[in-house]
Amino acid sequence: MKKNKIATLYLTVMFIVLYLPIFYLIGFSFNAGQTMNKFTGFSLVHFQELFSDSRLLLILLETFLLAFLSALLATLVGICGTLWIRYTKKKVTKNALLAANNLLLVSPDVIIGASFLILFTVLGKVISGFNLGFLTVLLSHVAFSVPIVVLMILPQLEKMNESLIFAAQDLGANYWQTLTNVILPYLTPGIIAGYFMAFTYSLDDFAVTFFVTGGGFTTLSVEIYSRARQGVSLEVNALSTLVFVFALVLVAGYYWISQDGSSSRKKRKKRG
Amino acid sequence: MQKMRSLFAVPYALWLMFFVFAPIALIVGYSLMDINGHLTLTNYQDFFSSSNYLLLTLSSFWYALLITLCTLLFGYPMAYCLTHLKHRDLWLMLVILPTWISLLLKAYAFIGIFGIHGGVNQFLGLFGIPARQILFTNFSFVFVSAYIELPFMILPIYNSLVEIDSSLIFASYDLGANKWQTFTKIIWPLSLSGVKSGIQAIFIPSLSLFMLTRLIGGNHVITLGTAIEEHFLVTQNWGMGATIGVVLIIIMLLVMGLTRQRKGGS
């Protein structure tokens, strides 16, 4: 009994510590004053500021566009990679491919950012007109999102019953039909989860973008960094309130998708 | 499907070539070049003969160790308590939720909280403790880093704790072990894989958190990541930056080797 109380107390304290900074941030976004020190009254003035700051809104839009695009491309490359790895027969080659796939996942952001910066600079010397900017940021986001997509889809493909493919081919489906009508529908939950992860990876990234962005293109994280370095501006708080609400929606969506996937899997099991 | 294999291989192989192998080759290549582009080992010579760089590596290592230890110390009990809760999946979701908010926003929150007139100083002021500089100290750097990384320690430990068969714990009690013995002999060894992945997930990024050293550490703390960022983006000495990068990669490989999971176990 006594131990239970200690556990509850500990958890309460830890959850407070975990959420206090976030709610501190959100709370002050409704502050009428200009600092994060003293709450001088409720006001939505910083939200008004935020919504009339066209530069920031444009950055927000571009950040989301970048996330959509990079997640889409990363998912496509990831699907190809998954199929390649799955149908690689030699164990040694397969393991080597998997290891290479995971390399970017474990590398620190700074290394990825620095090495991509070198890569793009070298490419810029070879290809005229290739400069740091939106394209390089997009390419980097695709690049570091590919491995997680592969990791989300591969387990599903490994579980897939091979006879489904044989059945499709016996019934006269060509390779392309087998792929689009049998394999891809089967993998849909994994593909959605992979896209989702790639999307959040892109939204979340700061370090890699910071290295390869050059001057012309800015994402939200980079913008927040440069604003935070100049000190407190409650517009950033208002922004984080919106981000928090968005994160809640995303988490809810993600859990809905994953619950959906697991429940349909359970159903399938029951039927089988 | 074998015939289509080579078709799928193309985009993925291009990705591997351009974004996995080429960057590694380039960073190693640049570390072997001086400013004029000649092949040389001077960067490494400079690195290993300069007490500055060695101290930097050591202190970066030390801070990463400190951050990892803090998260383990606070995260393990939390993960353990979480497994005993009624709606534990829901609570776990609440642990994960903060990771969906950009770490820059969290760092920014601490600029307000730790500021000289900020929340913590106001709170301490209630007890008559005079305001002090908390932001831009080593403490604030370790605290904020540990705060940000905490969920990544809790998650793998929680997963490994949940997987423990509860009959093993009952058996241990039946055989007369007390709570402490059960913990040290049964629970801890069985959750070690989670602890190892937690250490891996935290130690390596902690070596490279350059934005936190800038925003929270106030340039008092310089990690390997800060040094790399500085060499690449500020002083433009890419050779030296790449050399520090290679050192970071080697440390990363060492850490991964030390925390490697044994295959085929349990």
Side-chain angles (χ1 to χ4, degrees):
Chain A
M1 254 353 252
K2 203 181 151 203
K3 203 170 176 194
N4 252 334
K5 264 186 195 154
I6 296 173
T8 317
L9 185 72
Y10 182 73
L11 278 179
T12 316
V13 171
M14 288 303 278
F15 269 110
I16 289 175
V17 171
L18 210 55
Y19 277 92
L20 197 68
I22 295 165
F23 287 119
Y24 191 88
L25 203 59
I26 291 175
F28 274 101
S29 69
F30 298 103
N31 187 7
Q34 290 299 328
T35 64
M36 249 206 278
N37 304 327
K38 213 170 168 196
F39 201 82
T40 50
F42 180 85
S43 145
L44 289 175
V45 66
H46 300 293
F47 286 91
Q48 278 168 358
E49 255 171 61
L50 176 66
F51 285 117
S52 57
D53 186 343
S54 55
R55 180 185 140 79
L56 198 63
L57 290 180
L58 190 69
I59 291 172
L60 195 68
L61 200 71
E62 285 176 335
T63 309
F64 271 94
L65 183 73
L66 176 74
F68 275 119
L69 264 180
S70 67
L72 189 69
L73 293 173
T75 310
L76 289 177
V77 179
I79 292 172
C80 292
T82 316
L83 290 166
W84 189 27
I85 294 175
R86 170 67 180 84
Y87 293 106
T88 299
K89 279 269 160 65
K90 252 194 203 159
K91 194 102 197 193
V92 187
T93 326
K94 194 171 177 177
N95 284 339
L97 278 175
L98 270 175
N101 182 66
N102 295 349
L103 215 55
L104 278 187
L105 275 184
V106 293
S107 306
D109 296 349
V110 196
I111 299 286
I112 300 179
S115 58
F116 282 7
L117 175 64
I118 301 178
L119 176 76
F120 292 136
T121 320
V122 171
L123 281 180
K125 277 179 199 156
V126 182
I127 308 162
S128 62
F130 185 86
N131 289 318
L132 294 183
F134 179 75
L135 186 65
T136 53
V137 177
L138 178 68
L139 283 174
S140 330
H141 281 216
V142 173
F144 67 64
S145 304
V146 167
I148 190 70
V149 175
V150 172
L151 285 191
M152 298 303 272
I153 307 178
L154 193 59
Q156 254 178 345
L157 189 59
E158 301 273 15
K159 262 193 303 190
M160 185 175 173
N161 196 340
E162 196 82 345
S163 44
L164 283 174
I165 295 170
F166 295 138
Q169 285 170 347
D170 280 350
L171 292 168
N174 60 27
Y175 288 119
W176 181 249
Q177 285 170 324
T178 314
L179 181 69
T180 52
N181 291 332
V182 179
I183 300 179
L184 289 184
Y186 184 87
L187 295 180
T188 306
I191 292 172
I192 293 175
Y195 181 88
F196 218 77
M197 290 303 285
F199 188 81
T200 53
Y201 266 42
S202 168
L203 279 188
D204 239 17
D205 177 68
F206 164 71
V208 178
T209 313
F210 191 67
F211 271 91
V212 298
T213 186
F217 181 74
T218 313
T219 66
L220 203 56
S221 310
V222 176
E223 178 71 11
I224 292 170
Y225 176 74
S226 53
R227 289 196 185 200
R229 286 199 78 175
Q230 288 158 15
V232 169
S233 127
L234 292 190
E235 212 181 310
V236 176
N237 293 53
L239 185 68
S240 53
T241 305
L242 297 184
V243 169
F244 184 72
V245 173
F246 183 72
L248 272 180
V249 173
L250 271 188
V251 169
Y254 183 74
Y255 271 81
W256 184 71
I257 288 170
S258 59
Q259 292 284 272
D260 204 44
S262 62
S263 61
S264 66
R265 229 172 287 141
K266 265 177 215 153
K267 267 180 225 151
R268 212 170 290 140
K269 231 181 233 167
K270 262 183 207 160
R271 249 186 278 146
Chain B
M1 291 323 284
Q2 292 302 321
K3 281 178 201 157
M4 273 188 97
R5 219 194 104 214
S6 44
L7 198 71
F8 304 134
V10 176
Y12 189 75
L14 280 177
W15 170 77
L16 274 180
M17 218 167 72
F18 274 98
F19 294 106
V20 179
F21 298 127
I24 297 174
L26 282 170
I27 208 164
V28 174
Y30 264 75
S31 75
L32 295 170
M33 262 191 254
D34 63 13
I35 290 178
N36 304 317
H38 298 299
L39 206 63
T40 146
L41 277 173
T42 43
N43 285 323
Y44 288 93
Q45 254 167 23
D46 287 349
F47 186 92
F48 287 106
S49 60
S50 144
S51 57
N52 266 348
Y53 286 120
L54 292 177
L55 270 177
L56 165 84
T57 313
L58 210 65
S59 90
S60 184
F61 207 81
W62 167 244
Y63 279 113
L65 198 70
L66 220 56
I67 293 163
T68 314
L69 272 179
C70 285
T71 51
L72 182 60
L73 215 62
F74 287 99
Y76 196 98
M78 190 159 177
Y80 184 79
C81 295
L82 280 173
T83 55
H84 291 281
L85 288 180
K86 219 175 187 179
H87 302 287
R88 55 188 191 188
D89 288 341
L90 188 76
W91 289 104
L92 187 71
M93 204 180 92
L94 283 177
V95 173
I96 301 169
L97 185 63
T99 64
W100 288 60
I101 294 160
S102 162
L103 98 177
L104 286 155
L105 286 178
K106 284 183 270 187
Y108 172 76
F110 279 101
I111 295 178
I113 294 170
F114 280 163
I116 194 97
H117 303 295
V120 171
N121 273 325
Q122 280 175 27
F123 181 72
L124 291 176
L126 296 178
F127 304 100
I129 300 167
R132 65 184 73 200
Q133 185 68 35
I134 306 174
L135 198 63
F136 307 139
T137 59
N138 303 350
F139 165 79
S140 64
F141 172 69
V142 173
F143 184 92
V144 175
S145 309
Y147 167 80
I148 287 169
E149 307 275 13
L150 186 65
F152 301 108
M153 183 61 95
I154 294 175
L155 202 61
I157 295 177
Y158 173 90
N159 284 336
S160 63
L161 282 173
V162 166
E163 271 172 27
I164 297 177
D165 190 348
S166 56
S167 52
L168 287 175
I169 293 161
F170 293 134
S172 150
Y173 286 136
D174 280 351
L175 293 168
N178 60 27
K179 282 195 165 164
W180 177 246
Q181 285 168 323
T182 308
F183 178 75
T184 53
K185 304 267 185 215
I186 311 282
I187 300 174
W188 173 256
L190 284 177
S191 61
L192 210 57
S193 68
V195 173
K196 279 180 178 174
S197 7
I199 291 175
Q200 225 179 64
I202 288 169
F203 191 86
I204 298 166
S206 298
L207 290 169
S208 63
L209 288 168
F210 72 88
M211 46 303 207
L212 287 188
T213 59
R214 293 260 192 269
L215 293 174
I216 304 289
N219 295 342
H220 283 301
V221 185
I222 295 177
T223 61
L224 287 172
T226 321
I228 294 172
E229 188 253 356
E230 213 164 79
H231 280 97
F232 269 95
L233 299 177
V234 185
T235 58
Q236 303 277 334
N237 183 355
W238 287 18
M240 199 62 216
T243 309
I244 303 172
V246 172
V247 172
L248 182 53
I249 291 174
I250 291 169
I251 294 178
M252 177 188 105
L253 292 177
L254 281 178
V255 171
M256 285 175 63
L258 283 174
T259 54
R260 199 178 47 190
Q261 314 280 354
R262 248 171 279 140
K263 273 182 191 160
S266 67

